[in-house]
Amino acid sequence: MNYHYKNSIGEVRTATGFILLRLDNAIKLWRINDNIQRLQIYQMVALDLMDLEEYGGLLI
């Protein structure tokens, strides 16, 4: 299953074996074959994007 989250800061999406993070013109691509690990990283990045949009910075 592929996931996608997008807001005014950027977007993160999963594809089979990959996670893609886009912020403005910068793109970061991770190759992660483990489904659980890929979902966990996707969730962490999506939460960080939410924090950046709502609070203007990371909560961590």
Side-chain angles (χ1 to χ4, degrees):
M1 178 176 257
N2 295 329
Y3 298 94
H4 179 248
Y5 175 76
K6 182 176 182 178
N7 65 14
S8 64
I9 303 296
E11 70 178 301
V12 61
R13 65 176 62 220
T14 63
T16 304
F18 293 96
I19 296 177
L20 176 88
L21 170 63
R22 186 186 61 77
L23 299 171
D24 295 326
N25 291 329
I27 296 174
K28 174 67 178 171
L29 184 68
W30 291 276
R31 182 177 183 132
I32 302 170
N33 290 324
D34 183 272
N35 291 335
I36 301 292
Q37 187 178 21
R38 189 169 56 249
L39 177 60
Q40 290 171 337
I41 292 172
Y42 164 81
Q43 290 172 334
M44 288 187 294
V45 172
L47 286 172
D48 284 345
L49 285 175
M50 290 176 200
D51 291 343
L52 280 169
E53 184 175 56
E54 188 168 340
Y55 302 109
L58 298 177
L59 294 178
I60 300 173

